Amino acid sequence: FPSHDKHLQLGGEKMARVRKSLELTSKNLTNEEKQEKELIEAAAQAGAEQLKRKPVWLRDDVAKKEWQRLYKIYEDLNIINNLDYNNLGAYCNAFSNCREACENMKGEPFVIVNETSTGKNRVANPLINIQLKYSEEMRRHSASLGMTIDSRLKLADLKIKKAKGEIEEDFGDL
């Protein structure tokens, strides 16, 4: 599709294009476009004070420990804020649920015999579906929270570009 299209086609439907932050944009922008993007990004900023307190609705100690572990990482990276509070909590609960399903699967067969009125059938252990469900939920939330390798590489690239810019500001183009 042409890059000037404002929407992407998907099965005949139009989908909004994913926005990139100014720092991650590789396209050359005019000064006016840069200023507009900066204003939009500034308006979208939110504080991170809520993240200091884990939600009361986290399901157990495993979810609470995962929140603390991730909070420490995110605090250093400064990439999530109060708007990510529920996503982070949902990720931690999914992590706890998946871990519990994995623990319950230990020593259990992948296939079990299910007795019905028509006889015995071999079926997948239901714990497998539980594991898959929460693994998928973790994957979805981790993508929105910047936990994917692609997200981390973009962040690393951003940090390197920023550091280079600061060096050039201090010492000029070496």
Side-chain angles (χ1 to χ4, degrees):
F1 297 99
S3 61
H4 62 277
D5 280 354
K6 297 226 182 222
H7 297 88
L8 299 175
Q9 288 288 118
L10 182 65
E13 296 178 28
K14 287 190 175 186
M15 266 181 36
R17 183 176 298 251
V18 175
R19 290 180 176 246
K20 290 184 180 178
S21 70
L22 179 59
E23 294 169 325
L24 294 178
T25 301
S26 57
K27 148 183 167 179
N28 290 326
L29 301 174
T30 66
N31 285 337
E32 185 178 320
E33 289 172 321
K34 285 179 186 176
Q35 288 175 345
E36 183 180 343
K37 254 190 174 313
E38 285 172 351
L39 286 172
I40 291 169
E41 288 178 19
Q45 291 298 314
E49 66 281 349
Q50 279 183 315
L51 298 174
K52 292 178 183 175
R53 293 178 308 280
K54 49 187 164 287
V56 296
W57 44 264
L58 291 178
R59 74 179 296 267
D60 59 13
D61 285 339
V62 172
K64 290 173 185 174
K65 286 178 184 173
E66 183 66 357
W67 176 280
Q68 283 305 122
R69 184 184 78 81
L70 292 173
Y71 172 73
K72 287 177 185 174
I73 294 168
Y74 282 128
E75 187 177 34
D76 291 340
L77 294 175
N78 196 30
I79 60 170
I80 67 170
N81 59 43
N82 293 337
L83 297 173
D84 300 299
Y85 185 82
N86 289 328
N87 270 338
L88 183 56
Y91 172 86
C92 293
N93 278 339
F95 173 81
S96 174
N97 288 330
C98 186
R99 199 158 148 200
E100 184 177 323
C102 290
E103 287 294 321
N104 289 333
M105 255 322 271
K106 281 185 182 175
E108 292 289 321
F110 290 133
V111 176
I112 60 173
V113 176
N114 190 14
E115 292 192 40
T116 64
S117 59
T118 59
K120 294 180 181 181
N121 296 326
R122 292 173 49 91
V123 296
N125 189 323
L127 288 172
I128 295 171
N129 288 335
I130 294 170
Q131 282 179 310
L132 292 174
K133 174 185 175 184
Y134 289 114
S135 293
E136 177 59 24
E137 189 173 328
M138 286 172 56
R139 187 192 63 74
R140 278 193 320 273
H141 290 295
S142 66
S144 69
L145 292 165
M147 291 185 198
T148 64
I149 186 68
D150 187 48
S151 299
R152 291 191 308 271
L153 289 173
K154 285 179 183 177
L155 182 62
D157 185 48
L158 174 66
K159 285 183 174 183
I160 289 170
K161 285 179 182 175
K162 187 175 179 181
K164 282 182 180 179
E166 288 171 359
I167 290 170
E168 285 180 9
E169 280 181 20
D170 291 343
F171 301 105
D173 193 15
L174 300 176

